[in-house]
Amino acid sequence: MGILDLTIDKVKEKIDEACEHGQISNSERILSVVAGGFIVGCAVKRVLKKPLTAVSCLTLGAALVTRGITGKCAVKGAVDAANESNEKDITIIEHRHIVK
């Protein structure tokens, strides 16, 4: 085994460890990696024509790829935490019509 094989194995182990308790499902992870890769590819093509748009697309694409590889999403975690804290404060309002 060469250094490259050892490096690839180590990266695979780290990804598997990080994704063991991930917050997103496998289908979301695959979709995030594919969409992020597509966005990064489109951004690279436009670096010279529209640099500001390309930089923002590179950032978005890299974030999606990172989300897909790690299996964790900070936004989804924050939304889930907010939903858990607000479940106790639910008010149900009923509106009834009486028809004769």
Side-chain angles (χ1 to χ4, degrees), residues 44-63:
V44 168
K45 289 180 183 178
R46 297 182 181 157
V47 168
L48 297 176
K49 293 180 185 176
K50 298 180 179 181
L52 187 59
T53 304
V55 169
S56 62
C57 287
L58 281 171
T59 305
L60 175 64

Side-chain angles (χ1 to χ4, degrees), residues 64-75:
L64 282 172
V65 170
T66 303
R67 177 183 189 259
I69 289 174
T70 62
K72 299 180 190 256
C73 180
V75 175

Side-chain angles (χ1 to χ4, degrees), residues 7-62:
T7 305
I8 291 172
D9 290 340
K10 192 68 167 177
V11 169
K12 285 181 183 178
E13 287 176 16
K14 291 289 185 183
I15 290 172
D16 289 341
E17 288 173 10
C19 297
E20 187 175 336
H21 302 292
Q23 296 178 353
I24 60 175
S25 65
N26 287 337
S27 60
E28 283 183 89
R29 292 177 64 194
I30 292 169
L31 185 61
S32 292
V33 170
V34 170
F38 179 75
I39 292 171
V40 167
C42 290
V44 168
K45 289 180 183 178
R46 297 182 181 157
V47 168
L48 297 176
K49 293 180 185 176
K50 298 180 179 181
L52 187 59
T53 304
V55 169
S56 62
C57 287
L58 281 171
T59 305
L60 175 64

